[in-house]
């Protein structure tokens, strides 16, 4: 009902206009307009900014509509931000990250990460990396390449999964069904012509897989008939090649089944008035294995049943179904009993002195002493369950333990050094953080440094440099940070490497991070530097922060093939012109001891 009201409001905001008579102008044709499409079409999004009176909607629906309008408005204001930042903002603001974490397993997060990688690849390679350009790229990928590749598919034995054959590669299910084995579907029809008739197709000799494609052989001195025969033979060879690729894909589909394989086609589709013919693949299967059921071809004059019997259903589905009458009757009995109890208590309270009413009302709830038979007092065992849960919570708080994940970020390593109990609690029960528009601030300064040093390395969307800095400066302070850096001791030094990604293993746990900059020292050693755009930390925080530099130092020593003693490490707080060089950084044994300080939960 709320969506229907919102749609009605959209039609009011953008009223339908009759098509303008006459032919389209050259400008309209150039923009891709079609006859009858000159009028602007209304959509639900048109009504979000002005949904109209709240009385049109349910209270909860109106609150959701206005909240979505605020979220989209904030995201529109961020449309000029770097695309990788915009994607991360959309994940948090629209709670996509929370939804993915609520799903069992890593599948949901894997899809978001895969999309973020696509956006990062597009940003690094596009001449103009703007939001309209990205949307055009995604639309082209959907039309020309059948969409983006899924991030990850996980076999779930407790549900029915619907996948493309490409997405199912390398996986197996106990039962696999391959439907739609009809002509022009699987194998699919030829979408476009060959390179000789379609300018969008690359010539065979220019393609990367040219060695596997048929060549075009033109007869020397041949007449027109010979030339036409050569072109026809080349086109047929390309079609045969396409059919071979479809057959390989079909083989992949058939070999996903562990025990049972179901292959099927259909004579009638959901639309259309012509019956479908079986796929040659299905006919080949039927020639080897007797079909359990083979529908005969419809006779002349038969009509598509789907066009006669339109499916209908009630939405949303009633969860009570046939039990609805009994459940509602039971609920009415409960409400009636509650009203009678309230009336009895009110009458008894009115018959005594006002000062004694509270004690009287309390005395009607529970007996003063528990009954001798505890089971009769707690027939469902709820009280016992509550006692167990409270005891479990108290024990967990007294002894924080957690099973360490297979990977830790360097910021988690710092958190482990600062407050192991807090990290253990968060790992034991991970919860999504509330949307925070300032969560990735501080990245603009690091991006400016990259440009200044002439780097063009790809950044990980989950570890943007500066994004993990506690109290980082907002991006609108970029000019102040630039001026501060140019007056620092590091302005005239040229780093040998910047934004160095690394992954090392400490006590069986992979630790990942990114080093901001590495400088070569006159004595043949190195100095790794981490840029901080926030405030100076308290002295009590320095031992924990130094763990970050300890990890950087050991990682660079391994990458450069030198001894850790040859690598120095420093924090440079840009706004304060302060460089801190902690001494006594942890070595490999110290980091191992730190990681092992969180005991694992016994299995």
């Amino acid at each position: 009902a709320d969506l229907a009201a919102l749609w009605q409001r959209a039609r009011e905001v953008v009223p339908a206009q009759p098509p303008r008579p006459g032919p389209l102008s050259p400008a309209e044709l150039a923009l891709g307009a079609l006859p009858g499409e000159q009028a602007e079409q209304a959509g639900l999004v048109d009504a979000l900014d002005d949904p109209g009176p709240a009385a049109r909607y349910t209270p909860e629906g109106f609150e959701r509509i206005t909240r979505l309008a605020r979220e989209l408005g904030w995201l529109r204001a961020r449309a000029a931000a770097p695309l990788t930042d915009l994607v991360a903002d959309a994940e948090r603001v629209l709670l996509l990250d929370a939804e993915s974490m609520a799903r069992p397993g890593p599948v949901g997060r894997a899809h978001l990460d895969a999309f973020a990688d696509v956006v990062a690849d597009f940003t690094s390679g596009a001449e103009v990396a703007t939001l309209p350009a990205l949307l055009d790229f995604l639309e082209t990928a959907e039309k020309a390449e059948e969409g983006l590749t899924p991030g990850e598919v996980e076999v779930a034995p407790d549900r029915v999964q619907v996948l493309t054959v490409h997405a199912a590669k390398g996986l197996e299910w106990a039962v696999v069904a391959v439907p739609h084995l009809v002509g022009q579907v699987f194998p699919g029809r030829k979408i476009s012509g060959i390179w000789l008739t379609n300018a969008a197709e690359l010539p065979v000799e220019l393609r990367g897989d040219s060695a596997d494609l048929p060549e075009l052989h033109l007869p020397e001195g041949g007449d027109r008939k010979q030339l036409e025969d050569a072109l026809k033979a080349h086109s047929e060879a390309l079609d045969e090649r396409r059919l071979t690729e479809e057959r390989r894909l079909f083989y992949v589909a058939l070999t996903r089944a562990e025990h049972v394989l179901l292959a099927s086609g259909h004579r009638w589709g959901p639309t259309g008035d012509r019956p479908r013919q079986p796929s040659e693949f299905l006919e080949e299967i039927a020639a080897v294995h007797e079909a359990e059921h083979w529908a005969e071809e419809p006779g002349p004059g038969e009509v598509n049943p789907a066009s006669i019997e339109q499916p209908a259903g009630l939405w949303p589905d009633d969860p009570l179904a046939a039990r609805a009458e009994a459940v509602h009757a039971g609920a009415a009995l409960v409400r009636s009993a509650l009203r009678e109890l309230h009336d009895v208590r009110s009458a008894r309270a009115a018959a005594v002195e006002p000062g004694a009413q509270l004690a009287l009302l309390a005395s009607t709830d529970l007996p003063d002493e528990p009954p001798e038979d505890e089971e009769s007092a707690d027939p469902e065992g709820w009280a016992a369950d509550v006692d167990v849960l409270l005891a479990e919570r108290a024990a967990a708080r007294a002894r924080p333990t957690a099973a360490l994940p297979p990977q830790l970020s360097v910021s988690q390593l710092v958190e482990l050094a600062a407050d192991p109990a807090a990290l253990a609690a968060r790992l034991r029960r991970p919860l999504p953080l509330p949307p925070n528009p300032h969560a990735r601030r501080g990245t603009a300064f690091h991006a400016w440094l990259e440009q200044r040093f002439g780097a063009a390395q790809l950044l990980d969307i989950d570890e943007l440099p500066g994004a993990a800095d506690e109290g980082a400066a907002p991006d609108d302070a970029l000019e102040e940070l630039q001026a501060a850096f140019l007056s620092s001791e590091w302005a005239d030094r040229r780093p040998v490497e910047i934004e160095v990604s690394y992954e090392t293993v400490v006590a069986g746990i992979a630790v990942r991070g990114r080093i901001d900059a590495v400088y070569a020292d006159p004595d043949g050693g190195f100095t790794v530097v981490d840029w901080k755009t926030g405030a100076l930390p308290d002295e009590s925080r320095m031992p924990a922060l130094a763990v970050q530099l300890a990890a950087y130092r050991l990682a660079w020593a391994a990458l450069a093939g030198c001894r850790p003693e040859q690598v120095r490490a420093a924090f440079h707080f840009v706004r304060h012109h302060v460089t801190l060089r902690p001494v006594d950084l942890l070595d490999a044994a110290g980091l191992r001891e730190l990681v092992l300080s969180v005991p694992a939960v016994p299995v």
Side-chain angles (χ1 to χ4, degrees), residues 192-195 197-203:
S192 60
I194 64 173
W195 63 275
T197 58
N198 185 2
E201 295 286 335
L202 277 176

Side-chain angles (χ1 to χ4, degrees), residues 442-446 448-449 473-487 533 574-575 577:
T443 62
F445 172 73
H446 289 74
W448 172 74
L449 280 184
D475 287 346
D476 55 14
L478 176 59
E479 294 184 3
E480 176 189 351
L481 295 173
Q482 289 173 336
F485 179 81
L486 294 176
S487 62
T533 60
V574 181
R575 305 180 80 175
H577 300 277

Side-chain angles (χ1 to χ4, degrees), residues 103 105-112 114 149-155 163 167 171:
R103 294 183 58 182
V107 178
R109 182 68 251 178
H111 293 311
L112 291 178
T149 303
E152 180 179 343
V153 177
E154 189 177 63
V155 175
L163 300 92
L171 304 176

Side-chain angles (χ1 to χ4, degrees), residues 3 48 60 64 75 92-93 123 151 160 216 262 277 286 319 322 328 350 392 449 451 463 468 481 501-502 525 573 577:
L3 289 177
L48 286 177
E60 184 180 17
R64 290 179 176 177
L75 288 173
R92 290 192 308 276
V93 172
T123 303
V160 175
L216 174 61
L262 306 174
Q277 297 300 319
H328 288 307
E392 181 183 354
L449 280 184
Q451 185 177 8
E463 295 185 10
L481 295 173
S501 297
Y502 72 86
F573 292 84
H577 300 277

Side-chain angles (χ1 to χ4, degrees), residues 2 5 19 27 34 40 103 117 162 198 224 242 264 334 346 352 366 373 377 411 430 445 447 450 551-552 568 598:
D2 289 322
L34 296 176
E40 183 179 4
R103 294 183 58 182
D117 290 339
V162 181
N198 185 2
R224 176 171 180 171
R242 181 183 59 83
S264 68
V334 172
S346 299
V352 298
L366 294 173
D373 187 358
S411 59
F445 172 73
E450 272 195 274
Y552 288 173
R568 305 170 182 88
V598 177

Side-chain angles (χ1 to χ4, degrees), residues 410-420 537-551 571 573 580-587 590-591 594:
V410 69
S411 59
Q412 288 176 317
L413 202 61
V414 173
E415 186 180 356
L416 175 59
D419 192 349
D538 296 335
E539 292 226 1
S540 59
R541 286 274 300 159
M542 282 308 299
L545 291 175
V547 172
Q548 179 180 357
L549 293 183
F571 289 123
F573 292 84
L580 298 180
R581 295 177 173 86
V583 296
D584 299 330
L585 294 176
L586 293 178
D587 56 9
L591 285 180
L594 175 63

Side-chain angles (χ1 to χ4, degrees), residues 221-481:
D223 56 18
R224 176 171 180 171
K225 178 68 170 58
Q226 292 174 321
L227 181 61
E228 289 178 347
D229 291 342
L231 295 177
K232 181 180 178 181
H234 182 64
S235 178
E236 292 174 350
L238 288 176
D239 283 345
E240 185 64 28
R241 168 69 181 180
R242 181 183 59 83
L243 185 60
T244 301
E245 290 298 323
E246 289 278 285
R247 190 177 298 278
R248 290 175 179 173
L249 192 62
F250 185 59
Y251 174 79
V252 171
L254 299 186
T255 53
R256 299 309 94 202
E258 295 178 351
H259 302 295
V260 178
L261 172 67
L262 306 174
S264 68
H266 52 270
R267 290 291 187 183
W268 295 105
T271 60
D273 54 2
R274 291 185 179 181
R276 307 287 180 88
Q277 297 300 319
S279 163
E280 58 185 281
F281 294 161
L282 187 61
E283 291 179 331
E284 291 171 359
I285 292 178
V288 179
H289 301 280
E290 182 179 355
E292 183 174 338
H293 176 73
W294 191 271
E296 297 298 330
E297 186 172 359
E302 287 195 43
V303 181
N304 187 350
S307 63
I308 301 175
E309 303 173 2
Q310 294 293 337
L314 179 65
W315 187 91
D317 186 29
D318 185 358
L320 299 178
R323 300 184 301 114
E325 183 177 353
V327 172
H328 288 307
L333 291 175
V334 172
R335 286 192 290 268
S336 176
L338 289 175
R339 283 194 298 269
E340 292 178 3
L341 178 61
H342 180 269
D343 294 341
V344 169
R345 290 177 175 175
S346 299
R348 294 178 61 184
V352 298
E353 294 294 330
Q357 287 183 5
L358 182 60
L360 179 61
L361 289 175
S363 67
T364 61
D365 293 335
L366 294 173
D368 293 336
E369 296 181 359
E372 295 181 0
D373 187 358
E374 293 184 358
E375 293 185 0
S376 63
D378 186 22
E380 302 294 336
W382 288 0
D385 289 344
V386 170
D387 292 338
V388 171
L389 291 172
L390 290 175
E392 181 183 354
R393 185 181 68 171
R397 288 179 174 179
R399 183 179 57 86
T401 60
L404 285 177
Q407 292 182 344
L408 283 176
S409 66
V410 69
S411 59
Q412 288 176 317
L413 202 61
V414 173
E415 186 180 356
L416 175 59
D419 192 349
L423 178 63
R426 192 158 62 85
L427 292 176
R428 185 173 61 252
R429 181 170 289 181
L431 294 173
L433 298 176
N436 182 6
H438 302 294
R440 294 187 184 272
R441 62 184 183 177
T443 62
F445 172 73
H446 289 74
W448 172 74
L449 280 184
E450 272 195 274
Q451 185 177 8
R452 172 179 170 80
F453 294 136
Q457 299 189 14
L458 187 63
L459 302 184
D460 186 347
I461 187 64
D462 288 326
E463 295 185 10
L464 287 171
D469 292 352
E470 184 177 348
D475 287 346
D476 55 14
L478 176 59
E479 294 184 3
E480 176 189 351
L481 295 173

